[in-house]
Amino acid sequence: MKNLLLLFLLSTSLIFSQEYYWTSYSFNVEPEDVETVGKLTNEYFSQEGSKADGVTVFLFENHFRDGTVNASHSLVFYGTQEAMGKQYSPGENISFTIYLSKMGQLTKSHSSAAGKSLISIGTPGNYPIQAVYWLNVKNAAEFAKGFGDYQKKYAPKNRRVTLGSFNLGRSPFGETHYVLVGVESFMEAFDVGKFRETNKAAKNAWDKYMLSNQGNVEFVRSTTRVMLGKW
């Protein structure tokens, strides 16, 4: 994570619009250092002035992941255009520099990315388990409309479903969009589409939606992450 400070200072050129914007920094931590990393992160972001008003910070463990998602943890920031703009405004912050220095001794930087949410459906909340599906979409407007129409009508209320896009830091796989499903437990995460088994209308609508996406959407990969902290 030694380049993290530089990324923070250079990322003020992000363009903002609707919903919220996010930045993500992925890194690897040895198992014996995970608790220390969590403690350092909690100590820093629990301090007044450690983040701009309106910015939320998460620490995630990337729990289920294939061989191409080889970062163990992610530090994620999200907020409005104004809030994220303030977060990324250049300026000297000794406490943040010390935090990065300590983290750099315990972690190995992997990648960074930035993007925005487009459509969020469901009850807002602190969903500790999040399944993320990475997609390559050709006709984004068509895909988003179908996604919104389906989720608004059929998505269960005890979850949060978000469609978003990658703006910066795409992987070599060329993903353009993601779908994030936030749930309360691994039991739900193991089969997020199980509710369709007892809802014929939802199943028929889903099958029709999937058929309409043929040739437009390519599945890239997926990961399931666990929230370790939120500030």
Side-chain angles (χ1 to χ4, degrees):
M1 288 178 64
K2 61 183 179 181
N3 294 323
L4 187 58
L5 179 59
L6 180 61
L7 287 166
F8 266 73
L9 296 177
L10 295 181
S11 296
T12 56
S13 60
L14 288 176
I15 301 173
F16 304 98
S17 61
Q18 59 181 345
E19 283 243 335
Y20 64 83
Y21 278 73
W22 55 265
T23 53
S24 176
Y25 302 91
S26 297
F27 51 91
N28 282 294
V29 187
E30 294 299 326
E32 62 270 22
D33 294 325
V34 170
E35 184 176 352
T36 303
V37 165
K39 182 179 179 181
L40 286 173
T41 304
N42 179 60
E43 288 177 350
Y44 177 74
F45 287 107
S46 294
Q47 297 180 77
E48 184 176 354
S50 61
K51 52 187 175 56
D53 290 342
V55 170
T56 302
V57 182
F58 296 91
L59 178 62
F60 290 104
E61 175 204 6
N62 296 317
H63 195 80
F64 293 121
R65 48 200 167 97
D66 64 29
T68 65
V69 186
N70 52 2
S72 63
H73 292 74
S74 297
L75 190 65
V76 177
F77 298 73
Y78 87 76
T80 63
Q81 173 184 2
E82 182 179 1
M84 290 291 280
K86 290 179 179 178
Q87 182 70 30
Y88 281 82
S89 296
E92 185 177 9
N93 187 328
I94 300 300
S95 296
F96 185 58
T97 302
I98 294 173
Y99 165 70
L100 291 180
S101 177
K102 292 179 179 179
M103 289 286 282
Q105 298 173 28
L106 299 168
T107 65
K108 184 177 181 180
S109 180
H110 177 266
S111 62
S112 60
K116 62 180 179 180
S117 70
L118 302 172
I119 302 171
S120 294
I121 297 167
T123 306
N126 296 319
Y127 295 99
I129 313 298
Q130 301 183 358
V132 187
Y133 305 91
W134 301 25
L135 309 171
N136 190 333
V137 181
K138 295 179 181 178
N139 188 326
E142 179 181 311
F143 178 71
K145 183 181 185 308
F147 176 89
D149 291 345
Y150 178 84
Q151 298 294 346
K152 288 175 184 176
K153 189 170 183 178
Y154 296 109
K157 298 185 183 300
N158 60 336
R159 65 177 60 177
R160 183 75 165 173
V161 183
T162 297
L163 169 65
S165 63
F166 292 93
N167 292 353
L168 302 171
R170 295 179 185 174
S171 77
F173 296 98
E175 65 280 352
T176 61
H177 291 74
Y178 65 91
V179 172
L180 188 155
V181 183
V183 294
E184 296 288 352
S185 68
F186 272 114
M187 183 176 69
E188 297 168 89
F190 287 146
D191 191 351
V192 294
K194 187 176 178 62
F195 71 95
R196 286 188 285 270
E197 295 178 3
T198 56
N199 188 329
K200 186 176 181 179
K203 184 180 185 307
N204 290 339
W206 180 256
D207 291 342
K208 182 178 180 180
Y209 177 52
M210 288 293 99
L211 184 63
S212 72
N213 285 320
Q214 289 186 3
N216 185 39
V217 180
E218 176 188 5
F219 178 80
V220 176
R221 58 186 180 180
S222 65
T223 184
T224 301
R225 62 192 191 185
V226 180
M227 186 191 305
L228 301 182
K230 175 183 178 181
W231 300 270

